Amino acid sequence: MTSSASLYEQYCEHMRRIADVRYAAAVLQWDQETYMPAKGAAGRARQLATLSETAHEMATAPSFEQLVNELSQRSDLSQVQQKNVSLTLEDLTRQKKLSGAFVRKLSEAVSKAFNSWVAARKQNNFSVFESDLEQLVALKRESAELYGYEGHPYNALTYEFERSVTVEKLDKVFASVIPSLQEVIAKQGKEPEVDNDFLREFYPKNIQWEWGMWLVRELGFDLEAGRQDVSVHPFTTNFSAKDVRITTRIDENDFANMTWSCIHETGHALYEQGLPDSEYGLPSGEFSSLSIHESQSRLWENCVGRNLAFWKNYLPELQSYFPEQLQHITIQEFYKGINKVQPSFIRTEADEVTYHFHVYIRYQIEKDLIGGALAVKDIPARWNELYKQHLGVVVPDDIHGCLQDVHWSHGSFGYFPTYSLGSFYAAQFWAQAQKDIPALQKEELNETALAQLLGWLRKHIHSHGRLKDSELLCSSVTGESLNVSYFLDYVKGKF
Amino acid sequence: MTSSASLYEQYCEHMRRIADVRYAAAVLQWDQETYMPAKGAAGRARQLATLSETAHEMATAPSFEQLVNELSQRSDLSQVQQKNVSLTLEDLTRQKKLSGAFVRKLSEAVSKAFNSWVAARKQNNFSVFESDLEQLVALKRESAELYGYEGHPYNALTYEFERSVTVEKLDKVFASVIPSLQEVIAKQGKEPEVDNDFLREFYPKNIQWEWGMWLVRELGFDLEAGRQDVSVHPFTTNFSAKDVRITTRIDENDFANMTWSCIHETGHALYEQGLPDSEYGLPSGEFSSLSIHESQSRLWENCVGRNLAFWKNYLPELQSYFPEQLQHITIQEFYKGINKVQPSFIRTEADEVTYHFHVYIRYQIEKDLIGGALAVKDIPARWNELYKQHLGVVVPDDIHGCLQDVHWSHGSFGYFPTYSLGSFYAAQFWAQAQKDIPALQKEELNETALAQLLGWLRKHIHSHGRLKDSELLCSSVTGESLNVSYFLDYVKGKF
């Protein structure tokens, strides 16, 4: 009988090779969104489809399945090894439900939809995107049937991003959060209006870029193990823990856009750079779930990056980049300005309170798309109706409406809810971090305090990879499972 | 019996998928040389190794071999189809001689060597590169044995770049060219020294970049189907005919460096953009050979880009970018300056006459490395000795010596000779183009004349892909096979 150690090493090497192909696809996607010339799209779509299919075939190869099954029977593996094997077996069982040809078709449909989303944005016209999105939604509905589900078909898709999440749970979570947030908004509406016009002065592109690069470095992003570029929609991707890429976008008439996207994506990037590189390709080297990933970006973006103590320390530095625009702004004016609660159109630019209405709206739409209750052609009308209903705003056009997010063009349905869950986890982690790290309660959040926070996150969250799922991670870090009252307390305390 | 049409379509689809994986690897390599952060190297090496092995396995899969064999027996294929199948069969027969594991090992060794070449350049010290290069040379010698050869083992490696080339032929070609070039150099040495100090004024980086981008567009490079970036060593790569990437490097104290690298790489890029995109993945969609590829870059770089008629038209434009540096330079001074014949250290910056000594030196060294007559550790001494002997210059350090070229770190042994052959083909094509295109003989080589030249190259060379090998292509374009007297006449006429 082959020794377990030797079988496990065979398993690891095969997993690393699957990761090689997946990360190669990620490089091609990153290039597609940053540097690829327009006419390269068709070739790139083919190449991505072949890599997806190849990775899928490697991950579901019968000989590999046999190996994983055999390993799952072995009792002389370490706990970490056992966990890796059992997670791989779960993944494999799920992936097997799609054929290689279906995966290829899906990948081709995604590339097509992504390119027509870009084109539709240029023309500010949803109908340019419509038919490719229709095809993609049809394939995602088909994949839900292939995966199988209990309850709502949407549950088959959320599983990919956050295993324990279902429509039933999400409805409950939103029901417990949305009314409280409505109260906060109503209360804010009665206060005198905050003036944050200073954020819409002219902020030159090249200086914003320099400031953003300074900032991401200051937060701890290792630029020898990553880089930042510009794309239509900011994102983070990685090709190993030693090569993590973030992107941003710059609006010369909106200072907030780039700065908080830099902080947000750095939060994601710090997680990826903190995963154990020695576990490349294994579950123990991967992030826990998308909600946990988002908890990292939202913790840095909001709990840190919209914190008074943070800007007490960093506003002078920022003013040295933009003396003309910001010299005359006091720390209180700045803090109030960057935390103005105001219903708006664009999710990524929303304040911490109204943000969750943006997510909730998307959640309702995609649940209905996957459930078959909403047709793709009716998205714009439904979108605009929900924005009117929940946020009281009249969406002027598709680019400020249903064309703003890249996710659906990527075929990512069931992803948005992790944005809210991530914020809720973030508040809970932040509360714990403040208990554990005295420096965080000080008047100024400086470099030392940030480094201690990063060390704490590395130790308690990043280093565990996928060995703990969201719930287990949350309990082991904070002593209880997800509890939205941390988030509500945080919001009520702040606003 | 399955119809030939259906079998051929199966063959095409498999070829396209192999191309997908190979082009994906090319994207990863491009990224490695342009944007990848330093610490990403180890992960990237793994990923490239897996892609190489995967492409190799796809290309040598027994079922595919059977398909190609079956197709090669069919008589109802078109001529183009037959040619594609027979070239694929030749490639397959050769590739089969290496195992997937060997291909993987080679790819890993290349990545290691490339990274230590970059490090060695930073430290200006060949010994940093030595042991990884040794491992690579050992693997290349092993691959020569696996491929098999007649005569010199180097012949097994040149075959990859230019099938018909052997040590015997190369020795003969160089023997017929080198003495004549020596005469030209001796003659030039007796003339009053040309002053081209104006090329070493200060040329700001950002303006060079703008000028270079203007120039590549003017030459016909389609920037919607390609792009230019910066790298340590300029190169061209492509991921389809619709996504062709060139790179350049900028030296603020040497204007010539970027400008002629832009023209050179654009020559390569125009060839790739001119290949039939509908033949993606098939021999009919690939370049003919590296000599022919180089004929395109050298034709644009030298026959066009160092031509008096070209600069009569474009010098005013250039002067508008660099008025301070160039306003006072006459067209005659400029022309003489950019064509100064002077033995030097760096191949890519050499004039058209001394250039071939650089190639000849590398040829001798790599022939001896592969033949076993020279050890890797002795490269610097041998290099410097040959530079003293052939060019009369004393190499000051490794960066001006044996560390200047990226090729050996890529494992590309047998590649350099195609640089000289390419120049010889270029001169022969240029002579023919001048006969065929009246506009080329005019006083000024303007946009119209360049467009006509590009059209001529597209028709006679680019569009044929790999359906004609170098010799056949040369005969069909010029009426005779490679004849170095065209090159010698060109050089003697010019200098």
Side-chain angles (χ1 to χ4, degrees):
Chain A
M1 198 172 80
T2 317
S3 77
S4 297
S6 153
L7 279 188
Y8 188 76
E9 181 43 38
Q10 273 177 52
Y11 151 82
C12 288
E13 182 52 22
H14 193 79
M15 289 294 280
R16 286 191 287 260
R17 289 184 187 208
I18 299 169
D20 291 337
V21 178
R22 292 216 169 107
Y23 285 133
V27 176
L28 267 63
Q29 269 152 345
W30 170 85
D31 178 75
Q32 176 169 266
E33 302 204 18
T34 50
Y35 294 115
M36 189 186 79
K39 292 181 186 167
R44 184 56 52 90
R46 274 204 60 88
Q47 291 149 10
L48 282 168
T50 293
L51 292 185
S52 298
E53 189 177 357
T54 303
H56 183 83
E57 276 166 6
M58 288 166 81
T60 57
S63 60
F64 181 60
E65 188 180 6
Q66 209 174 354
L67 173 65
V68 177
N69 271 318
E70 168 68 30
L71 270 172
S72 69
Q73 311 296 322
R74 297 292 175 105
S75 55
D76 56 343
L77 294 177
S78 75
Q79 265 193 310
V80 169
Q81 291 174 335
Q82 278 177 25
K83 186 72 189 166
N84 276 335
V85 169
S86 82
L87 285 169
T88 301
L89 194 56
E90 281 175 37
D91 291 344
L92 204 160
T93 308
R94 178 172 158 90
Q95 285 163 335
K96 259 177 55 185
K97 294 179 179 165
L98 305 188
S99 69
F102 186 83
V103 167
R104 179 177 195 92
K105 216 162 127 185
L106 202 53
S107 172
E108 284 166 346
V110 164
S111 293
K112 257 180 96 179
F114 173 73
N115 291 312
S116 55
W117 172 74
V118 172
R121 277 179 65 93
K122 272 198 190 128
Q123 297 173 54
N124 196 357
N125 185 353
F126 177 79
S127 69
V128 173
F129 179 38
E130 191 183 306
S131 77
D132 288 335
L133 181 60
E134 239 164 35
Q135 204 204 336
L136 196 47
V137 169
L139 286 171
K140 295 305 281 191
R141 296 187 66 195
E142 193 179 339
S143 72
E145 297 304 321
L146 293 167
Y147 285 134
Y149 52 85
E150 281 178 37
H152 199 286
Y154 188 68
N155 297 345
L157 303 184
T158 53
Y159 183 94
E160 194 171 326
F161 306 116
E162 187 59 65
R163 297 197 165 198
S164 61
V165 153
T166 59
V167 161
E168 297 66 31
K169 284 193 191 168
L170 284 172
D171 285 342
K172 215 176 284 176
V173 168
F174 280 117
S176 69
V177 170
I178 290 292
S180 303
L181 294 182
Q182 269 160 342
E183 281 168 31
V184 176
I185 295 172
K187 187 174 150 261
Q188 291 278 317
K190 284 175 203 144
E191 312 248 321
E193 199 186 330
V194 173
D195 176 9
N196 64 4
D197 286 352
F198 66 86
L199 292 172
R200 279 171 298 279
E201 300 278 310
F202 181 74
Y203 291 83
K205 208 167 173 167
N206 56 333
I207 307 182
Q208 280 203 58
W209 177 256
E210 279 167 33
W211 153 250
M213 289 303 291
W214 182 87
L215 183 60
V216 305
R217 202 179 283 116
E218 181 73 9
L219 296 173
F221 184 44
D222 178 358
L223 281 158
E224 283 185 21
R227 48 179 291 122
Q228 176 165 254
D229 296 271
V230 168
S231 67
V232 177
H233 199 293
F235 66 93
T236 302
T237 185
N238 74 301
F239 318 137
S240 75
K242 299 287 182 205
D243 190 351
V244 180
R245 311 276 175 110
I246 62 176
T247 68
T248 187
R249 60 181 164 202
I250 305 176
D251 181 341
E252 292 194 314
N253 296 303
D254 179 4
F255 171 72
N257 206 323
M258 178 179 177
T259 293
W260 280 275
S261 111
C262 282
I263 308 178
H264 180 95
E265 301 305 334
T266 297
H268 282 303
L270 292 174
Y271 188 12
E272 291 290 346
Q273 288 188 338
L275 292 171
D277 191 42
S278 57
E279 306 294 293
Y280 174 95
L282 303 175
S284 48
E286 281 170 2
F287 62 92
S288 173
S289 76
L290 274 176
S291 301
I292 298 302
H293 224 309
E294 194 69 11
S295 77
Q296 302 305 293
S297 55
R298 300 287 288 175
L299 187 150
W300 286 95
E301 180 191 355
N302 296 326
C303 307
V304 174
R306 295 186 201 271
N307 189 312
L308 183 61
F310 179 81
W311 288 107
K312 273 193 181 158
N313 190 54
Y314 287 107
L315 184 58
E317 181 72 32
L318 172 60
Q319 285 168 326
S320 76
Y321 280 86
F322 302 104
E324 239 175 84
Q325 300 87 336
L326 293 173
Q327 201 73 284
H328 60 290
I329 303 294
T330 67
I331 175 67
Q332 283 300 336
E333 289 167 336
F334 187 80
Y335 176 67
K336 281 201 170 304
I338 65 168
N339 282 296
K340 182 176 183 176
V341 175
Q342 187 172 41
S344 65
F345 306 117
I346 306 293
R347 177 185 57 82
T348 57
E349 296 161 21
D351 60 82
E352 294 178 73
V353 184
T354 59
Y355 184 82
H356 300 282
F357 292 87
H358 293 269
V359 175
Y360 185 48
I361 289 167
R362 285 155 180 75
Y363 162 59
Q364 290 179 75
I365 291 178
E366 59 183 25
K367 186 172 65 169
D368 285 351
L369 281 173
I370 300 304
L374 181 70
V376 167
K377 70 172 171 38
D378 297 326
I379 290 176
R382 180 82 178 122
W383 181 285
N384 298 352
E385 182 194 344
L386 286 166
Y387 266 77
K388 186 82 190 59
Q389 178 191 330
H390 289 292
L391 286 165
V393 297
V394 177
V395 175
D397 54 13
D398 294 341
I399 215 159
H400 291 87
C402 60
L403 282 179
Q404 69 182 265
D405 288 306
V406 71
H407 306 62
W408 292 341
S409 84
H410 284 165
S412 298
F413 296 90
Y415 189 119
F416 282 119
T418 68
Y419 285 161
S420 284
L421 295 174
S423 304
F424 308 155
Y425 280 118
Q428 195 162 336
F429 293 149
W430 179 244
Q432 186 65 38
Q434 283 178 299
K435 282 182 215 157
D436 293 356
I437 310 167
L440 294 188
Q441 295 135 28
K442 285 203 193 130
E443 191 75 358
E444 289 191 7
L445 263 182
N446 60 15
E447 216 185 322
T448 316
L450 295 180
Q452 286 181 25
L453 173 63
L454 180 56
W456 185 89
L457 293 169
R458 289 262 145 97
K459 182 177 167 200
H460 295 287
I461 299 174
H462 304 176
S463 59
H464 300 286
R466 212 180 129 196
L467 295 175
K468 295 179 181 178
D469 65 20
S470 316
E471 286 295 290
L472 180 58
L473 196 64
C474 187
S475 315
S476 62
V477 178
T478 69
E480 56 182 313
S481 57
L482 182 62
N483 179 348
V484 295
S485 65
Y486 286 99
F487 173 71
L488 291 174
D489 289 348
Y490 166 84
V491 166
K492 285 175 194 161
K494 186 164 177 178
F495 301 99
Chain B
M1 197 172 81
T2 318
S3 77
S4 297
S6 155
L7 279 186
Y8 188 76
E9 182 43 38
Q10 274 178 51
Y11 152 83
C12 288
E13 183 51 24
H14 193 79
M15 289 294 280
R16 287 192 286 260
R17 289 184 186 207
I18 299 169
D20 291 338
V21 178
R22 293 219 165 104
Y23 285 134
V27 176
L28 268 64
Q29 270 154 344
W30 170 85
D31 178 74
Q32 175 168 266
E33 303 204 18
T34 50
Y35 294 114
M36 189 186 79
K39 293 180 186 168
R44 185 56 50 90
R46 275 205 58 89
Q47 291 149 8
L48 281 169
T50 293
L51 293 185
S52 297
E53 189 178 357
T54 303
H56 183 83
E57 276 167 5
M58 288 166 81
T60 57
S63 59
F64 182 59
E65 188 180 5
Q66 209 174 356
L67 173 65
V68 177
N69 270 318
E70 169 68 32
L71 270 172
S72 70
Q73 312 295 320
R74 298 289 175 106
S75 54
D76 56 343
L77 295 177
S78 74
Q79 265 193 312
V80 169
Q81 291 173 333
Q82 279 178 24
K83 186 72 191 171
N84 275 336
V85 170
S86 80
L87 284 169
T88 302
L89 193 55
E90 281 174 39
D91 291 345
L92 204 161
T93 308
R94 179 174 158 89
Q95 284 162 335
K96 260 177 55 186
K97 295 180 179 164
L98 306 188
S99 69
F102 186 85
V103 167
R104 181 179 194 91
K105 215 162 126 187
L106 202 53
S107 173
E108 285 166 346
V110 164
S111 292
K112 259 181 94 179
F114 172 72
N115 291 312
S116 55
W117 172 75
V118 171
R121 275 179 66 92
K122 272 197 190 131
Q123 297 174 50
N124 196 357
N125 185 353
F126 177 80
S127 68
V128 173
F129 180 38
E130 191 183 307
S131 76
D132 287 336
L133 182 60
E134 238 164 36
Q135 203 203 339
L136 196 47
V137 168
L139 285 171
K140 294 305 280 192
R141 294 186 66 195
E142 192 180 340
S143 73
E145 297 304 321
L146 292 167
Y147 285 135
Y149 51 86
E150 281 179 35
H152 199 286
Y154 189 70
N155 297 344
L157 303 184
T158 53
Y159 184 93
E160 194 170 326
F161 306 115
E162 187 59 64
R163 297 196 165 200
S164 61
V165 152
T166 59
V167 161
E168 297 66 32
K169 281 191 192 169
L170 285 171
D171 286 342
K172 214 177 281 175
V173 168
F174 279 118
S176 69
V177 170
I178 291 293
S180 302
L181 295 181
Q182 268 159 342
E183 281 168 31
V184 176
I185 295 172
K187 188 173 150 265
Q188 291 277 317
K190 283 178 202 141
E191 311 247 322
E193 199 187 332
V194 172
D195 176 9
N196 65 3
D197 285 352
F198 66 87
L199 293 172
R200 279 171 300 278
E201 299 279 310
F202 181 74
Y203 289 84
K205 210 167 171 167
N206 58 333
I207 307 182
Q208 281 203 56
W209 177 257
E210 280 168 32
W211 154 250
M213 289 303 290
W214 182 87
L215 183 59
V216 304
R217 202 180 281 116
E218 181 74 10
L219 296 174
F221 184 44
D222 178 357
L223 282 158
E224 285 187 20
R227 49 179 291 120
Q228 178 166 252
D229 296 270
V230 167
S231 67
V232 178
H233 199 291
F235 66 92
T236 302
T237 186
N238 74 303
F239 318 136
S240 76
K242 300 285 182 204
D243 190 352
V244 179
R245 312 274 175 111
I246 61 176
T247 68
T248 188
R249 60 180 165 205
I250 306 176
D251 181 341
E252 293 194 313
N253 296 302
D254 180 4
F255 171 73
N257 206 325
M258 176 176 178
T259 293
W260 281 275
S261 110
C262 281
I263 308 178
H264 179 96
E265 302 304 334
T266 297
H268 282 303
L270 291 173
Y271 188 11
E272 291 290 346
Q273 289 189 334
L275 292 171
D277 190 42
S278 57
E279 306 294 294
Y280 175 95
L282 303 176
S284 47
E286 281 170 1
F287 63 91
S288 174
S289 77
L290 275 175
S291 301
I292 298 302
H293 225 309
E294 194 69 12
S295 77
Q296 301 305 293
S297 56
R298 299 288 287 174
L299 188 151
W300 286 95
E301 179 191 356
N302 296 325
C303 307
V304 174
R306 296 186 202 271
N307 189 313
L308 183 61
F310 179 81
W311 288 107
K312 274 192 180 157
N313 189 55
Y314 286 107
L315 184 58
E317 181 72 33
L318 172 60
Q319 284 168 326
S320 76
Y321 280 85
F322 301 103
E324 239 176 83
Q325 300 87 335
L326 292 174
Q327 202 73 283
H328 60 288
I329 303 295
T330 67
I331 175 68
Q332 281 301 333
E333 288 167 337
F334 187 81
Y335 176 67
K336 279 200 173 304
I338 65 168
N339 281 295
K340 183 176 183 177
V341 175
Q342 187 172 40
S344 64
F345 305 117
I346 305 293
R347 178 184 59 81
T348 57
E349 297 162 19
D351 60 83
E352 294 178 74
V353 183
T354 58
Y355 184 83
H356 300 283
F357 293 87
H358 294 268
V359 176
Y360 186 47
I361 289 167
R362 285 155 179 75
Y363 163 59
Q364 290 178 77
I365 291 177
E366 59 183 24
K367 187 172 66 171
D368 285 351
L369 282 172
I370 300 304
L374 181 69
V376 167
K377 70 171 170 44
D378 297 327
I379 289 176
R382 180 81 177 123
W383 181 285
N384 299 351
E385 181 194 343
L386 286 167
Y387 265 77
K388 185 82 190 63
Q389 178 192 331
H390 288 294
L391 287 165
V393 295
V394 178
V395 175
D397 53 14
D398 293 341
I399 215 161
H400 292 88
C402 60
L403 282 179
Q404 69 183 265
D405 288 306
V406 72
H407 305 63
W408 292 341
S409 83
H410 283 166
S412 297
F413 296 90
Y415 190 120
F416 281 119
T418 66
Y419 284 161
S420 283
L421 294 174
S423 304
F424 308 155
Y425 279 118
Q428 194 163 337
F429 292 149
W430 179 244
Q432 187 65 38
Q434 284 178 301
K435 280 181 216 157
D436 292 356
I437 310 166
L440 295 187
Q441 293 134 30
K442 284 201 191 132
E443 192 74 0
E444 289 191 8
L445 264 181
N446 59 16
E447 216 185 322
T448 316
L450 294 181
Q452 286 182 25
L453 172 62
L454 179 55
W456 185 88
L457 293 169
R458 290 261 145 98
K459 181 176 168 198
H460 294 289
I461 298 174
H462 304 176
S463 60
H464 299 286
R466 209 179 131 195
L467 295 174
K468 294 179 180 177
D469 66 19
S470 316
E471 285 295 290
L472 181 58
L473 196 64
C474 188
S475 314
S476 63
V477 178
T478 70
E480 56 182 312
S481 57
L482 181 61
N483 178 349
V484 294
S485 64
Y486 285 99
F487 173 71
L488 291 174
D489 289 348
Y490 166 84
V491 167
K492 285 176 193 159
K494 186 165 178 179
F495 301 99

